[in-house]
PDB file of all heavy atoms in Angstrom:
ATOM      1  N   LEU A 316       7.046  -3.290 -16.812  1.00 75.00           N
ATOM      2  CA  LEU A 316       7.681  -4.595 -16.848  1.00 75.00           C
ATOM      3  C   LEU A 316       6.871  -5.526 -15.957  1.00 75.00           C
ATOM      4  O   LEU A 316       6.774  -5.343 -14.783  1.00 75.00           O
ATOM      5  CB  LEU A 316       9.122  -4.522 -16.341  1.00 75.00           C
ATOM      6  CG  LEU A 316      10.085  -3.633 -17.134  1.00 75.00           C
ATOM      7  CD1 LEU A 316      11.440  -3.551 -16.438  1.00 75.00           C
ATOM      8  CD2 LEU A 316      10.235  -4.198 -18.544  1.00 75.00           C
ATOM      9  N   PRO A 317       6.191  -6.511 -16.545  1.00 84.00           N
ATOM     10  CA  PRO A 317       5.366  -7.469 -15.780  1.00 84.00           C
ATOM     11  C   PRO A 317       6.196  -8.137 -14.659  1.00 84.00           C
ATOM     12  O   PRO A 317       7.400  -8.448 -14.838  1.00 84.00           O
ATOM     13  CB  PRO A 317       4.904  -8.502 -16.805  1.00 84.00           C
ATOM     14  CG  PRO A 317       5.047  -7.751 -18.156  1.00 84.00           C
ATOM     15  CD  PRO A 317       6.214  -6.880 -18.010  1.00 84.00           C
ATOM     16  N   THR A 318       5.560  -8.320 -13.505  1.00 92.00           N
ATOM     17  CA  THR A 318       6.208  -8.887 -12.371  1.00 92.00           C
ATOM     18  C   THR A 318       5.519 -10.220 -12.034  1.00 92.00           C
ATOM     19  O   THR A 318       4.424 -10.554 -12.460  1.00 92.00           O
ATOM     20  CB  THR A 318       6.144  -7.943 -11.116  1.00 92.00           C
ATOM     21  OG1 THR A 318       4.764  -7.642 -10.859  1.00 92.00           O
ATOM     22  CG2 THR A 318       6.922  -6.632 -11.419  1.00 92.00           C
ATOM     23  N   ILE A 319       6.240 -10.938 -11.192  1.00 96.00           N
ATOM     24  CA  ILE A 319       5.712 -12.240 -10.674  1.00 96.00           C
ATOM     25  C   ILE A 319       4.386 -11.940  -9.880  1.00 96.00           C
ATOM     26  O   ILE A 319       4.317 -10.922  -9.176  1.00 96.00           O
ATOM     27  CB  ILE A 319       6.731 -12.928  -9.770  1.00 96.00           C
ATOM     28  CG1 ILE A 319       7.972 -13.291 -10.539  1.00 96.00           C
ATOM     29  CG2 ILE A 319       6.127 -14.190  -9.120  1.00 96.00           C
ATOM     30  CD1 ILE A 319       9.109 -13.848  -9.730  1.00 96.00           C
ATOM     31  N   ASP A 320       3.396 -12.751 -10.078  1.00 96.00           N
ATOM     32  CA  ASP A 320       2.171 -12.629  -9.304  1.00 96.00           C
ATOM     33  C   ASP A 320       2.523 -12.655  -7.846  1.00 96.00           C
ATOM     34  O   ASP A 320       3.246 -13.570  -7.370  1.00 96.00           O
ATOM     35  CB  ASP A 320       1.182 -13.754  -9.650  1.00 96.00           C
ATOM     36  CG  ASP A 320      -0.109 -13.580  -8.979  1.00 96.00           C
ATOM     37  OD1 ASP A 320      -0.239 -13.846  -7.759  1.00 96.00           O
ATOM     38  OD2 ASP A 320      -1.103 -13.171  -9.682  1.00 96.00           O
ATOM     39  N   PRO A 321       2.026 -11.665  -7.039  1.00 96.00           N
ATOM     40  CA  PRO A 321       2.396 -11.641  -5.621  1.00 96.00           C
ATOM     41  C   PRO A 321       2.021 -12.841  -4.832  1.00 96.00           C
ATOM     42  O   PRO A 321       2.710 -13.307  -3.885  1.00 96.00           O
ATOM     43  CB  PRO A 321       1.644 -10.373  -5.093  1.00 96.00           C
ATOM     44  CG  PRO A 321       0.595 -10.149  -6.042  1.00 96.00           C
ATOM     45  CD  PRO A 321       1.112 -10.573  -7.384  1.00 96.00           C
ATOM     46  N   ALA A 322       0.901 -13.518  -5.212  1.00 96.00           N
ATOM     47  CA  ALA A 322       0.533 -14.748  -4.536  1.00 96.00           C
ATOM     48  C   ALA A 322       1.498 -15.860  -4.798  1.00 96.00           C
ATOM     49  O   ALA A 322       1.874 -16.622  -3.913  1.00 96.00           O
ATOM     50  CB  ALA A 322      -0.915 -15.189  -4.987  1.00 96.00           C
ATOM     51  N   ASP A 323       1.984 -15.951  -6.073  1.00 96.00           N
ATOM     52  CA  ASP A 323       3.006 -16.929  -6.390  1.00 96.00           C
ATOM     53  C   ASP A 323       4.328 -16.636  -5.681  1.00 96.00           C
ATOM     54  O   ASP A 323       5.023 -17.535  -5.265  1.00 96.00           O
ATOM     55  CB  ASP A 323       3.201 -16.988  -7.918  1.00 96.00           C
ATOM     56  CG  ASP A 323       1.940 -17.489  -8.631  1.00 96.00           C
ATOM     57  OD1 ASP A 323       1.086 -18.162  -7.996  1.00 96.00           O
ATOM     58  OD2 ASP A 323       1.830 -17.215  -9.846  1.00 96.00           O
ATOM     59  N   TYR A 324       4.688 -15.347  -5.605  1.00 96.00           N
ATOM     60  CA  TYR A 324       5.920 -14.955  -4.984  1.00 96.00           C
ATOM     61  C   TYR A 324       5.902 -15.362  -3.520  1.00 96.00           C
ATOM     62  O   TYR A 324       6.890 -15.853  -2.971  1.00 96.00           O
ATOM     63  CB  TYR A 324       6.131 -13.446  -5.141  1.00 96.00           C
ATOM     64  CG  TYR A 324       7.490 -12.993  -4.698  1.00 96.00           C
ATOM     65  CD1 TYR A 324       8.630 -13.518  -5.207  1.00 96.00           C
ATOM     66  CD2 TYR A 324       7.639 -11.910  -3.847  1.00 96.00           C
ATOM     67  CE1 TYR A 324       9.928 -13.091  -4.857  1.00 96.00           C
ATOM     68  CE2 TYR A 324       8.844 -11.438  -3.486  1.00 96.00           C
ATOM     69  CZ  TYR A 324       9.982 -12.019  -3.992  1.00 96.00           C
ATOM     70  OH  TYR A 324      11.239 -11.541  -3.640  1.00 96.00           O
ATOM     71  N   LEU A 325       4.770 -15.113  -2.839  1.00 97.00           N
ATOM     72  CA  LEU A 325       4.645 -15.481  -1.469  1.00 97.00           C
ATOM     73  C   LEU A 325       4.696 -16.978  -1.284  1.00 97.00           C
ATOM     74  O   LEU A 325       5.432 -17.491  -0.425  1.00 97.00           O
ATOM     75  CB  LEU A 325       3.265 -14.999  -0.918  1.00 97.00           C
ATOM     76  CG  LEU A 325       2.912 -15.416   0.489  1.00 97.00           C
ATOM     77  CD1 LEU A 325       3.904 -14.902   1.512  1.00 97.00           C
ATOM     78  CD2 LEU A 325       1.476 -14.915   0.854  1.00 97.00           C
ATOM     79  N   ALA A 326       3.981 -17.708  -2.100  1.00 96.00           N
ATOM     80  CA  ALA A 326       3.902 -19.171  -1.961  1.00 96.00           C
ATOM     81  C   ALA A 326       5.248 -19.886  -2.316  1.00 96.00           C
ATOM     82  O   ALA A 326       5.655 -20.842  -1.629  1.00 96.00           O
ATOM     83  CB  ALA A 326       2.804 -19.729  -2.830  1.00 96.00           C
ATOM     84  N   ASN A 327       5.943 -19.338  -3.298  1.00 96.00           N
ATOM     85  CA  ASN A 327       7.105 -20.078  -3.833  1.00 96.00           C
ATOM     86  C   ASN A 327       8.466 -19.567  -3.342  1.00 96.00           C
ATOM     87  O   ASN A 327       9.437 -20.247  -3.450  1.00 96.00           O
ATOM     88  CB  ASN A 327       7.071 -20.019  -5.345  1.00 96.00           C
ATOM     89  CG  ASN A 327       5.859 -20.698  -5.928  1.00 96.00           C
ATOM     90  OD1 ASN A 327       5.362 -21.675  -5.382  1.00 96.00           O
ATOM     91  ND2 ASN A 327       5.349 -20.197  -7.066  1.00 96.00           N
ATOM     92  N   HIS A 328       8.508 -18.303  -2.825  1.00 97.00           N
ATOM     93  CA  HIS A 328       9.805 -17.726  -2.534  1.00 97.00           C
ATOM     94  C   HIS A 328       9.883 -17.082  -1.103  1.00 97.00           C
ATOM     95  O   HIS A 328      11.008 -16.740  -0.680  1.00 97.00           O
ATOM     96  CB  HIS A 328      10.152 -16.661  -3.521  1.00 97.00           C
ATOM     97  CG  HIS A 328      10.260 -17.210  -4.945  1.00 97.00           C
ATOM     98  ND1 HIS A 328      11.221 -18.064  -5.359  1.00 97.00           N
ATOM     99  CD2 HIS A 328       9.399 -17.078  -6.024  1.00 97.00           C
ATOM    100  CE1 HIS A 328      11.012 -18.400  -6.612  1.00 97.00           C
ATOM    101  NE2 HIS A 328       9.890 -17.790  -7.071  1.00 97.00           N
ATOM    102  N   LEU A 329       8.798 -16.908  -0.425  1.00 96.00           N
ATOM    103  CA  LEU A 329       8.826 -16.231   0.860  1.00 96.00           C
ATOM    104  C   LEU A 329       8.423 -17.133   2.009  1.00 96.00           C
ATOM    105  O   LEU A 329       7.876 -16.722   3.003  1.00 96.00           O
ATOM    106  CB  LEU A 329       7.924 -14.972   0.862  1.00 96.00           C
ATOM    107  CG  LEU A 329       8.367 -13.849  -0.113  1.00 96.00           C
ATOM    108  CD1 LEU A 329       7.300 -12.730  -0.144  1.00 96.00           C
ATOM    109  CD2 LEU A 329       9.735 -13.256   0.269  1.00 96.00           C
ATOM    110  N   GLY A 330       8.720 -18.372   1.839  1.00 94.00           N
ATOM    111  CA  GLY A 330       8.415 -19.351   2.873  1.00 94.00           C
ATOM    112  C   GLY A 330       9.063 -19.093   4.213  1.00 94.00           C
ATOM    113  O   GLY A 330       8.582 -19.502   5.276  1.00 94.00           O
ATOM    114  N   ALA A 331      10.206 -18.473   4.211  1.00 95.00           N
ATOM    115  CA  ALA A 331      10.926 -18.183   5.402  1.00 95.00           C
ATOM    116  C   ALA A 331      10.276 -16.995   6.224  1.00 95.00           C
ATOM    117  O   ALA A 331      10.694 -16.793   7.427  1.00 95.00           O
ATOM    118  CB  ALA A 331      12.423 -17.830   5.191  1.00 95.00           C
ATOM    119  N   TRP A 332       9.381 -16.249   5.637  1.00 96.00           N
ATOM    120  CA  TRP A 332       8.749 -15.150   6.309  1.00 96.00           C
ATOM    121  C   TRP A 332       7.592 -15.700   7.157  1.00 96.00           C
ATOM    122  O   TRP A 332       6.641 -16.273   6.634  1.00 96.00           O
ATOM    123  CB  TRP A 332       8.218 -14.128   5.308  1.00 96.00           C
ATOM    124  CG  TRP A 332       7.527 -12.934   5.921  1.00 96.00           C
ATOM    125  CD1 TRP A 332       6.197 -12.748   6.066  1.00 96.00           C
ATOM    126  CD2 TRP A 332       8.167 -11.825   6.582  1.00 96.00           C
ATOM    127  NE1 TRP A 332       5.972 -11.512   6.706  1.00 96.00           N
ATOM    128  CE2 TRP A 332       7.144 -10.968   7.072  1.00 96.00           C
ATOM    129  CE3 TRP A 332       9.507 -11.467   6.797  1.00 96.00           C
ATOM    130  CZ2 TRP A 332       7.437  -9.798   7.677  1.00 96.00           C
ATOM    131  CZ3 TRP A 332       9.820 -10.291   7.467  1.00 96.00           C
ATOM    132  CH2 TRP A 332       8.760  -9.459   7.888  1.00 96.00           C
ATOM    133  N   GLU A 333       7.687 -15.576   8.461  1.00 92.00           N
ATOM    134  CA  GLU A 333       6.736 -16.150   9.363  1.00 92.00           C
ATOM    135  C   GLU A 333       5.644 -15.169   9.859  1.00 92.00           C
ATOM    136  O   GLU A 333       4.690 -15.586  10.483  1.00 92.00           O
ATOM    137  CB  GLU A 333       7.391 -16.765  10.554  1.00 92.00           C
ATOM    138  CG  GLU A 333       8.384 -17.859  10.192  1.00 92.00           C
ATOM    139  CD  GLU A 333       9.102 -18.479  11.370  1.00 92.00           C
ATOM    140  OE1 GLU A 333       9.065 -17.844  12.477  1.00 92.00           O
ATOM    141  OE2 GLU A 333       9.732 -19.568  11.248  1.00 92.00           O
ATOM    142  N   ARG A 334       5.849 -13.940   9.565  1.00 94.00           N
ATOM    143  CA  ARG A 334       4.895 -12.923  10.060  1.00 94.00           C
ATOM    144  C   ARG A 334       3.755 -12.743   9.023  1.00 94.00           C
ATOM    145  O   ARG A 334       3.713 -13.393   8.009  1.00 94.00           O
ATOM    146  CB  ARG A 334       5.615 -11.611  10.388  1.00 94.00           C
ATOM    147  CG  ARG A 334       6.502 -11.689  11.570  1.00 94.00           C
ATOM    148  CD  ARG A 334       7.265 -10.364  11.826  1.00 94.00           C
ATOM    149  NE  ARG A 334       8.679 -10.569  11.735  1.00 94.00           N
ATOM    150  CZ  ARG A 334       9.537  -9.582  11.870  1.00 94.00           C
ATOM    151  NH1 ARG A 334       9.141  -8.346  12.106  1.00 94.00           N
ATOM    152  NH2 ARG A 334      10.838  -9.759  11.782  1.00 94.00           N
ATOM    153  N   SER A 335       2.937 -11.761   9.283  1.00 97.00           N
ATOM    154  CA  SER A 335       1.734 -11.524   8.438  1.00 97.00           C
ATOM    155  C   SER A 335       2.072 -10.974   7.051  1.00 97.00           C
ATOM    156  O   SER A 335       3.200 -10.368   6.870  1.00 97.00           O
ATOM    157  CB  SER A 335       0.762 -10.600   9.142  1.00 97.00           C
ATOM    158  OG  SER A 335       0.325 -11.151  10.388  1.00 97.00           O
ATOM    159  N   VAL A 336       1.149 -11.115   6.167  1.00 97.00           N
ATOM    160  CA  VAL A 336       1.325 -10.630   4.812  1.00 97.00           C
ATOM    161  C   VAL A 336      -0.028 -10.067   4.273  1.00 97.00           C
ATOM    162  O   VAL A 336      -1.054 -10.666   4.539  1.00 97.00           O
ATOM    163  CB  VAL A 336       1.762 -11.713   3.862  1.00 97.00           C
ATOM    164  CG1 VAL A 336       2.023 -11.152   2.398  1.00 97.00           C
ATOM    165  CG2 VAL A 336       3.045 -12.457   4.340  1.00 97.00           C
ATOM    166  N   VAL A 337       0.055  -8.902   3.620  1.00 98.00           N
ATOM    167  CA  VAL A 337      -1.085  -8.373   2.928  1.00 98.00           C
ATOM    168  C   VAL A 337      -0.818  -8.456   1.431  1.00 98.00           C
ATOM    169  O   VAL A 337       0.162  -7.885   0.987  1.00 98.00           O
ATOM    170  CB  VAL A 337      -1.351  -6.913   3.332  1.00 98.00           C
ATOM    171  CG1 VAL A 337      -2.585  -6.353   2.518  1.00 98.00           C
ATOM    172  CG2 VAL A 337      -1.618  -6.766   4.791  1.00 98.00           C
ATOM    173  N   VAL A 338      -1.625  -9.225   0.702  1.00 98.00           N
ATOM    174  CA  VAL A 338      -1.431  -9.466  -0.704  1.00 98.00           C
ATOM    175  C   VAL A 338      -2.430  -8.651  -1.506  1.00 98.00           C
ATOM    176  O   VAL A 338      -3.621  -8.809  -1.394  1.00 98.00           O
ATOM    177  CB  VAL A 338      -1.548 -10.986  -1.066  1.00 98.00           C
ATOM    178  CG1 VAL A 338      -1.334 -11.188  -2.529  1.00 98.00           C
ATOM    179  CG2 VAL A 338      -0.594 -11.797  -0.222  1.00 98.00           C
ATOM    180  N   TYR A 339      -1.912  -7.752  -2.359  1.00 97.00           N
ATOM    181  CA  TYR A 339      -2.780  -7.010  -3.259  1.00 97.00           C
ATOM    182  C   TYR A 339      -3.245  -7.919  -4.364  1.00 97.00           C
ATOM    183  O   TYR A 339      -2.517  -8.793  -4.855  1.00 97.00           O
ATOM    184  CB  TYR A 339      -1.992  -5.851  -3.921  1.00 97.00           C
ATOM    185  CG  TYR A 339      -2.074  -4.586  -3.134  1.00 97.00           C
ATOM    186  CD1 TYR A 339      -1.757  -4.476  -1.793  1.00 97.00           C
ATOM    187  CD2 TYR A 339      -2.458  -3.377  -3.804  1.00 97.00           C
ATOM    188  CE1 TYR A 339      -1.832  -3.263  -1.105  1.00 97.00           C
ATOM    189  CE2 TYR A 339      -2.507  -2.162  -3.120  1.00 97.00           C
ATOM    190  CZ  TYR A 339      -2.209  -2.104  -1.807  1.00 97.00           C
ATOM    191  OH  TYR A 339      -2.279  -0.963  -1.107  1.00 97.00           O
ATOM    192  N   ARG A 340      -4.513  -7.716  -4.834  1.00 96.00           N
ATOM    193  CA  ARG A 340      -5.077  -8.442  -5.957  1.00 96.00           C
ATOM    194  C   ARG A 340      -5.774  -7.435  -6.861  1.00 96.00           C
ATOM    195  O   ARG A 340      -6.738  -6.836  -6.480  1.00 96.00           O
ATOM    196  CB  ARG A 340      -6.149  -9.473  -5.478  1.00 96.00           C
ATOM    197  CG  ARG A 340      -5.688 -10.471  -4.405  1.00 96.00           C
ATOM    198  CD  ARG A 340      -5.207 -11.735  -5.026  1.00 96.00           C
ATOM    199  NE  ARG A 340      -3.897 -11.629  -5.579  1.00 96.00           N
ATOM    200  CZ  ARG A 340      -3.309 -12.572  -6.311  1.00 96.00           C
ATOM    201  NH1 ARG A 340      -3.970 -13.722  -6.593  1.00 96.00           N
ATOM    202  NH2 ARG A 340      -2.148 -12.424  -6.756  1.00 96.00           N
ATOM    203  N   CYS A 341      -5.147  -7.221  -8.042  1.00 94.00           N
ATOM    204  CA  CYS A 341      -5.755  -6.433  -9.107  1.00 94.00           C
ATOM    205  C   CYS A 341      -6.801  -7.304  -9.740  1.00 94.00           C
ATOM    206  O   CYS A 341      -6.511  -8.108 -10.650  1.00 94.00           O
ATOM    207  CB  CYS A 341      -4.745  -5.929 -10.138  1.00 94.00           C
ATOM    208  SG  CYS A 341      -3.546  -4.722  -9.420  1.00 94.00           S
ATOM    209  N   VAL A 342      -8.018  -7.223  -9.237  1.00 95.00           N
ATOM    210  CA  VAL A 342      -8.997  -8.268  -9.506  1.00 95.00           C
ATOM    211  C   VAL A 342      -9.382  -8.391 -10.974  1.00 95.00           C
ATOM    212  O   VAL A 342      -9.864  -9.449 -11.407  1.00 95.00           O
ATOM    213  CB  VAL A 342     -10.240  -8.083  -8.667  1.00 95.00           C
ATOM    214  CG1 VAL A 342      -9.905  -8.208  -7.179  1.00 95.00           C
ATOM    215  CG2 VAL A 342     -10.934  -6.720  -8.939  1.00 95.00           C
TER     216      VAL A 342
END
Side-chain angles (χ1 to χ4, degrees):
L316 298 173
T318 57
I319 298 172
D320 185 284
D323 294 340
Y324 190 52
L325 174 61
N327 299 326
H328 300 288
L329 294 175
W332 181 259
E333 298 179 346
R334 292 179 241 178
S335 299
V336 184
V337 179
V338 181
Y339 269 53
R340 306 267 75 188
C341 292
V342 297

